[in-house]
Amino acid sequence: MPTLRTITLGCKVNQYETEYLRQGFLRLGYRDAGQDEPVDLVIFNTCTVTHQADAECRKILRRLAREHPEAEVIVMGCFAAKAADEIASMPGVSEVLTDKRQMRECLARRGLVDVPTGIAFFARRHRAYVKVQDGCVLPCTYCIIPEVRPGLWSRPVEDILLEVRQLVDNGYREVVLTGVHLGLFGRGPGDDRTMDLAELVSRLLNVDRRFRIRLSSLEVNEVSDRLLELMAENPERICSHLHIPLQSGSPKILKRMRRRADVEYYLRRCERVKQLLRDPAITTDIMVGFPGETDADFEETCRVVESVGFAKIHIFRFSPREGTPAAEYPDQVPEHVKKERSSYLEQLAQQVRRRYIGELIGGSLQVLWEDLVTDPEGRPKYLLGMSDRYIPVRAHASMGELGELGQVDVDGFDGEFLTARGQDASLDLTLLNATADRL
């Protein structure tokens, strides 16, 4: 039986697409290769969000040619779309997929008669990503993605419903809806304009009651009142967690980035989220050191962070991306200034995160139990899971079932996990640290 291995860089969309192609090859008779086993096929899903990502892709391809000279290598993803000819000329590369629609064609060419429309499992996870949309048309001056994922495209609703039903039947209790630009689901040229993200979520609620929905990144102007009302009406079915990229709290910098919403609108919508949902987790992306960013601009960003009280912030230092307008701006910020601002913002992010977590203590949270920690004798000790608010939780192994949803009352925070009421306060930090990063 031929063996395969997958390598994925980048976003949730990439992880989904890798899993789709992997499952197609499993149906063709392949199996996953063991740790040190020879490999017949490698599926490599690439990223091109930064020039460092490009360099990492080239490095991995050279390594694959050295370590698996006899293996067939299929390369896909955003770097494949950007540099198809370069990749095709590299040793060991047998096929380059530059478009997501080519995945089905790839499987059909290799003899798969009944090519699937979705996935039935998600390898090594209790949460399943479900891609519902592709393509981005936003003109952000720092981003290359619209060039490599152009045009808007949404999956047929019936395919999504069928896929989610299969995943739930196979034991998945959280489905994360994802897309290159998730909020524009249903807004492509050929899409049914009566179907948008809120309507899709409404339809998914009727598929089955055994799972919950989490939404991945949404632009602030796509967080509609209809969507928030659905979340408020179904708190046990839709996670009270929204990832809303800010990028900067400076009106001047947002304008140079060509972002669609200004700071005041962003703040108003976050306040609306808090009005309609109980203790919602709002997470975000912030870029520091964008060309022209002054100390005053950075201070404005910090004030917005304080005002919103984000549950988590992904902090990025601006990296000039060849082919984007921002890479050519003359007033680039020195690297040492970017590092200083990033370090300061990281400390502030931890402060507001702790403040938000403090608001959750004493309340009840829904948790998907994702990992079991055992003692040295192999006896169950702790369950670790992800709450609906995107804060990890620890509980005694007797308080839930691995892979299932549960409700817990939280009474503390140990620096890494919210703790469930009624458990022994003593901890084995060695055991916990060994598994924390997997959540």
Side-chain angles (χ1 to χ4, degrees), residues 76 173 175 203 216 267 349 365 370 375 433 437:
M76 57 194 288
R173 297 296 177 254
V175 167
R203 295 277 297 274
S216 58
L267 290 171
L365 296 177
E370 297 183 276
D375 65 18
N433 291 338
D437 291 341

Side-chain angles (χ1 to χ4, degrees), residues 12 127 174 176-177 182 212-218 223 227-228 231-232 234-235 237-244 273 277-284 310-314 353 356 386-391:
K12 291 180 176 68
R127 284 178 276 170
E174 180 176 309
V176 184
L177 299 185
L182 178 63
R212 68 185 185 189
I213 299 166
R214 191 184 299 275
L215 302 171
S216 58
S217 182
L218 291 172
V223 182
L227 187 61
L228 292 176
M231 296 174 74
N234 300 276
R237 302 294 315 286
I238 309 171
C239 295
S240 292
H241 166 218
L242 289 165
H243 187 83
I244 311 174
V273 171
L277 305 181
R278 179 183 68 85
D279 297 326
I282 302 175
T283 57
T284 197
F310 295 109
K312 189 173 183 178
I313 304 175
H314 296 285
R353 175 176 170 83
Y356 171 72
M386 186 59 71
S387 71
D388 47 1
R389 268 63 173 189
Y390 207 57
I391 307 292

Side-chain angles (χ1 to χ4, degrees), residues 262-274:
D262 61 27
V263 174
E264 292 305 315
Y265 179 78
Y266 187 98
L267 290 171
R268 287 198 306 272
R269 291 310 295 170
C270 287
E271 192 58 37
R272 182 64 171 160
V273 171
K274 294 178 181 181

Side-chain angles (χ1 to χ4, degrees), residues 104-332:
R104 289 173 60 85
E105 299 167 7
C106 173
L107 294 171
R109 283 196 308 271
R110 291 162 185 266
L112 189 60
V113 176
D114 186 14
V115 179
T117 60
I119 63 174
F121 300 92
F122 211 91
R124 297 176 294 279
R125 289 180 180 271
H126 292 285
R127 284 178 276 170
Y129 301 151
V130 171
K131 175 188 168 183
V132 302
Q133 182 275 344
D134 206 315
C136 183
V137 293
L138 295 188
C140 301
T141 57
Y142 52 82
C143 186
I144 197 73
I145 299 305
E147 286 191 25
V148 295
R149 296 258 190 181
L152 299 177
W153 168 84
S154 301
R155 287 180 65 196
V157 174
E158 292 306 317
D159 288 353
I160 298 169
L161 298 179
L162 175 62
E163 180 175 52
V164 170
R165 189 172 292 112
Q166 289 178 323
L167 288 164
V168 175
D169 286 344
N170 287 328
Y172 292 86
R173 297 296 177 254
E174 180 176 309
V175 167
V176 184
L177 299 185
T178 189
V180 174
H181 193 147
L182 178 63
L184 293 184
F185 175 82
R187 293 298 175 259
D191 292 337
D192 176 3
R193 290 310 176 106
T194 65
M195 179 62 62
D196 61 5
L197 182 61
E199 182 61 25
L200 173 64
V201 170
S202 179
R203 295 277 297 274
L204 284 168
L205 290 173
N206 295 321
V207 167
D208 197 297
R209 296 197 61 83
R210 294 174 293 169
F211 78 105
R212 68 185 185 189
I213 299 166
R214 191 184 299 275
L215 302 171
S216 58
S217 182
L218 291 172
E219 294 295 327
V220 67
N221 54 304
E222 295 153 6
V223 182
S224 67
D225 275 6
R226 170 63 178 140
L227 187 61
L228 292 176
E229 287 162 3
L230 276 172
M231 296 174 74
E233 293 163 5
N234 300 276
E236 294 184 356
R237 302 294 315 286
I238 309 171
C239 295
S240 292
H241 166 218
L242 289 165
H243 187 83
I244 311 174
L246 172 65
Q247 304 301 0
S248 175
S250 161
K252 180 193 82 178
I253 295 300
L254 288 177
K255 188 173 182 180
R256 293 196 91 194
M257 289 177 168
R258 292 189 199 154
R259 298 287 291 162
R260 297 168 73 193
D262 61 27
V263 174
E264 292 305 315
Y265 179 78
Y266 187 98
L267 290 171
R268 287 198 306 272
R269 291 310 295 170
C270 287
E271 192 58 37
R272 182 64 171 160
V273 171
K274 294 178 181 181
Q275 288 173 357
L276 292 180
L277 305 181
R278 179 183 68 85
D279 297 326
I282 302 175
T283 57
T284 197
D285 301 326
I286 293 179
M287 183 182 296
V288 299
F290 189 80
E293 182 187 68
T294 64
D295 288 343
D297 296 321
F298 178 66
E299 289 167 6
E300 287 184 294
T301 296
C302 294
R303 283 196 290 272
V304 173
V305 168
E306 289 270 17
S307 176
V308 176
F310 295 109
K312 189 173 183 178
I313 304 175
H314 296 285
I315 300 168
F316 304 89
R317 295 200 295 267
F318 172 77
S319 175
R321 190 69 185 87
E322 184 181 357
T324 63
E328 305 301 322
Y329 288 170
D331 44 0
Q332 300 289 323

Side-chain angles (χ1 to χ4, degrees), residues 44 46 56-66 73 75 79 87 90-91 93:
F44 179 26
T46 63
E56 179 67 12
C57 290
R58 294 186 182 98
K59 178 181 176 182
I60 290 173
L61 285 168
R62 289 192 293 268
R63 191 189 77 218
L64 289 173
R66 288 195 312 271
V73 180
V75 186
F79 184 56
I87 293 171
M90 297 185 73
V93 174

Side-chain angles (χ1 to χ4, degrees), residues 1-7 18-34 37-45 61 64-65 67-76 92-97 103 106-107 109-110:
M1 184 179 289
T3 59
L4 71 84
R5 181 163 296 154
T6 63
I7 301 172
T18 298
E19 186 61 24
Y20 173 85
L21 204 57
R22 171 183 170 269
Q23 289 184 26
F25 276 98
L26 293 179
R27 293 174 68 169
L28 283 167
Y30 284 76
R31 64 175 177 82
D32 293 315
E37 193 175 6
V39 178
D40 298 300
L41 171 68
V42 178
I43 299 169
F44 179 26
N45 205 337
L61 285 168
L64 289 173
E67 296 179 356
H68 307 287
E70 304 301 321
E72 182 182 2
V73 180
I74 297 176
V75 186
M76 57 194 288
V93 174
S94 61
E95 189 167 0
V96 181
L97 305 182
M103 293 190 295
C106 173
L107 294 171
R109 283 196 308 271
R110 291 162 185 266

